[in-house]
Amino acid sequence: MDPLKEEFYQLPTIDLAKALLGCLLVKETEEGITSGYIVETEAYMGPHDRAAHSFNNRRTKRTEIMYGKAGLAYTYTMHTHCLINVVSAGLDEPHAVLIRALEPHDGIDLMLKRRPVDNKKNLTNGPGKLTKAMGITMEDYGHPLFESPLYITHGIVPEEIVEGKRIGIENTGEARNYPWRFWIKDNPFVSR
DNA sequence: GCAAGGATGGCG
DNA sequence: GCCATCCTTGCG
C-alpha cells in the first residue's frame, strides 16, 4: 500500500488528529516490516497550548521540526523512551499530533521480539511502547511520513471516534482539561 | 556547568 | 502510587 500523500496532512490539527485514527503506521527495517493501526492520538496546539513543547513559540533544537511542514515526524525522548508525533499545520505554526497507541497489524513476531509481553494487548498500547515495538528512534526525527521507510497509509475507517482529556500533562493549568485526546471507541489497544 | 522536571512504563 | 533514568531546558 502506498503512503498517504503529503496533501493528506493539510488539515487543521484537530481534524488531522481524528483523520489519523484508523490509518496504518508502517516501518520498514532490515529486520522486517512492522505496522499497526493508529487507535489513539492527541493534538498539541502550539503557541497557545501550555502542554505543547512549542508553547509561547518556544523554539529550540528539539522543537524546531514542529515549525516545519505538516507530515514530518517529530520524535523526542521522554525519560527513557522515544515518542512520535506528526507535525501539523502550516510553516511556523508549531502544532503536532502525538500517536499514543496502535493496534498491531504486520510483523507482530518482530514487535514481540523487540518488546516481549505476555498479552498482545500490551504490545503497542502506549506512546513509548509502540515506538520500541516498531523500531522508531530519534533517527526518525524530521522524516517525512509520506515516504519509506517510515510512513502512514490507508487502513480502516473507524466506526466511532470519542474524545477526552489528554494524558500526563497534570501540571499545565487549564490546558490539562482541553478535550484534545481522540481514540477509536471500544478499541482494546487504546492506552487506558 | 548544573539542577529541575517531564506528552512514560513497570512494578509493588 | 512510586521511582528508575536520561535528555532538554533555563539559568547562573
Side-chain angles (χ1 to χ4, degrees), chain A residues 20 22-26 35-38 105-106 151-155:
Chain A
L20 283 168
C23 291
L24 194 65
L25 178 67
V26 184
S35 74
Y37 297 105
I38 298 170
H105 182 57
D106 290 311
Y151 61 93
I152 293 170
T153 186
H154 182 260

Side-chain angles (χ1 to χ4, degrees), chain A residues 21 27 54 60 73 89-90 97 123 129 155 180 182:
Chain A
L21 293 173
K27 169 107 192 200
S54 52
T60 64
V97 176
L123 186 52
K129 298 178 183 178
W180 289 345
F182 306 95

Side-chain angles (χ1 to χ4, degrees), chain A residues 96-127:
Chain A
V97 176
L98 172 67
I99 299 177
R100 281 197 59 88
L102 302 177
E103 175 174 334
H105 182 57
D106 290 311
I108 293 178
D109 288 346
L110 176 53
M111 290 196 272
L112 282 169
K113 183 177 150 197
R114 288 171 176 151
R115 193 171 177 287
V117 286
D118 292 337
N119 189 331
K120 200 178 80 173
K121 284 191 177 178
N122 298 323
L123 186 52
T124 55
N125 64 338

